[in-house]
Amino acid sequence: MFLDRSKTIFMTGYWHFLINSVFLLCLGACIYFTAVWWIYMIIIFIHALIMIYGSAYVGSQFYLKTYLKGKQKKEKIISLTFDDGIDQEITTKVLDLLKKYNAPATFFCIGKKLVPATYPILKQMDRDGHLVGNHSFSHSNFFDFYSSARVQKELEDTSQIITNVLNKKPLWFRPPYGVTNPQIGRAARRLGYEGIGWSIRSLDTVIKKTEDLQRRIQKRLHCGAIVLFHDHHEKILDILENFLIYLQKEGYQVVSLEKLLNIKAYQ
Ligand SMILES: [Zn+2]
């Protein structure tokens, strides 16, 4: 039985609205009481800081209801997610490893990488019991500056390809770089998307030494974790296999994100 999505959609945008209302009220009070200039500056500065936090932190819930982890407190289950694919060579090897260890995962694919040559890999993901989510079309560095209409177009284009190939429409969106803002939130909500974040960011594309990276993930491991990896670089293969072996040793089971979060991946 999956959660009622109407409840999650109701929550979206709430914090953004509340904070801006408080901000305007404070400014109004300043004008009314003819406050000195530096009080305005403090209020504007605090508001800016809160807004930056709301955009930069994927779990802020400012603009989009976003899941960061499961509710499990004692059950040793976690989910794996991979961003920025499909990479013809690496994603295929990741799929082989996941099959070897019987671990389901979710792939947040970039639309422009979903080309006819990668369709068989997309189909294999589905056949192997993995889930597919939307990670924008371009993954542009300027994605956060796009208008709501342009973000919506990116999400629709990616969704269209996934739907055509798999015959299922994805409901999950992972914002590029984990950044959200009013435009991205509006577009994602309009299309009925739910945000999927993470509770363990592996930093597999940043940290150079595999051992440091391994230590980082292991130290943060917890019940209900959503782990973020990337399936477009060679290093992931060693990292993933070592992590899957470690999970078995520690008695953790890898489950699908649908099971971990109790929400549906497709419409
Ligand atoms: Zn990404």
Side-chain angles (χ1 to χ4, degrees):
M1 192 65 165
F2 290 110
L3 288 175
D4 179 5
R5 298 185 71 244
S6 59
K7 283 183 193 150
T8 60
I9 285 165
F10 171 75
M11 289 296 292
T12 56
Y14 174 73
W15 286 109
H16 176 220
F17 174 75
L18 184 73
I19 287 159
N20 281 337
S21 302
V22 171
F23 173 64
L24 290 175
L25 271 176
C26 289
L27 281 187
C30 284
I31 293 165
Y32 184 77
F33 292 108
T34 53
V36 288
W37 67 270
W38 54 266
I39 294 193
Y40 285 93
M41 296 307 287
I42 289 174
I43 291 169
I44 291 166
F45 181 68
I46 291 171
H47 179 254
L49 276 186
I50 294 171
M51 286 296 123
I52 290 168
Y53 160 83
S55 288
Y57 175 48
V58 72
S60 72
Q61 315 291 343
F62 270 31
Y63 309 106
L64 182 67
K65 167 76 185 170
T66 303
Y67 293 86
L68 299 182
K69 59 183 180 180
K71 290 191 174 129
Q72 297 77 11
K73 292 274 178 279
K74 290 186 179 148
E75 199 183 353
K76 284 184 149 184
I77 58 174
I78 67 148
S79 266
L80 304 178
T81 64
F82 295 87
D83 284 11
D84 297 359
I86 290 176
D87 180 286
Q88 257 181 291
E89 192 193 333
I90 308 296
T91 307
T92 307
K93 288 179 181 168
V94 166
L95 287 174
D96 290 344
L97 268 179
L98 293 172
K99 191 175 267 179
K100 182 177 165 190
Y101 290 91
N102 199 21
T106 303
F107 291 84
F108 288 96
C109 300
I110 298 175
K112 70 176 179 189
K113 292 190 177 179
L114 300 177
V115 292
T118 58
Y119 290 172
I121 303 171
L122 190 60
K123 283 182 185 161
Q124 192 195 333
M125 284 175 180
D126 190 50
R127 256 198 329 271
D128 289 355
H130 305 300
L131 302 168
V132 178
N134 196 326
H135 194 41
S136 83
F137 189 86
S138 65
H139 204 288
S140 161
N141 291 333
F142 302 104
F143 190 75
D144 310 323
F145 299 100
Y146 285 180
S147 69
S148 182
R150 191 160 175 190
V151 172
Q152 186 170 336
K153 172 90 170 67
E154 289 234 358
L155 297 186
E156 282 173 331
D157 287 350
T158 304
S159 175
Q160 193 59 57
I161 301 171
I162 296 169
T163 309
N164 288 347
V165 177
L166 299 184
N167 217 13
K168 320 176 188 185
K169 195 172 176 189
L171 286 173
W172 294 345
F173 168 55
R174 175 168 280 166
Y177 318 107
V179 173
T180 49
N181 59 31
Q183 302 90 276
I184 294 172
R186 203 174 308 125
R189 291 199 308 271
R190 213 179 283 147
L191 296 173
Y193 277 102
E194 285 174 312
I196 304 292
W198 54 82
S199 61
I200 302 176
R201 186 175 206 161
S202 65
L203 294 183
D204 54 346
T205 53
V206 180
I207 297 175
K208 296 255 182 319
K209 279 173 107 182
T210 309
E211 306 81 59
D212 292 347
L213 212 148
Q214 217 71 47
R215 216 172 302 123
R216 174 187 163 85
I217 313 169
Q218 290 172 7
K219 206 169 76 185
R220 287 169 168 75
L221 187 61
H222 63 89
C223 298
I226 298 176
V227 188
L228 163 63
F229 289 118
H230 294 85
D231 58 324
H232 63 83
H233 63 100
E234 187 85 39
K235 212 169 53 176
I236 185 62
L237 301 169
D238 270 351
I239 296 163
L240 178 61
E241 180 145 37
N242 286 337
F243 186 53
L244 288 166
I245 292 168
Y246 180 79
L247 288 174
Q248 283 183 343
K249 208 175 75 195
E250 294 295 311
Y252 277 87
Q253 194 198 348
V254 181
V255 298
S256 83
L257 208 46
E258 279 193 332
K259 182 174 175 187
L260 192 92
L261 298 175
N262 194 29
I263 55 170
K264 276 198 308 179
Y266 303 105
Q267 212 166 48

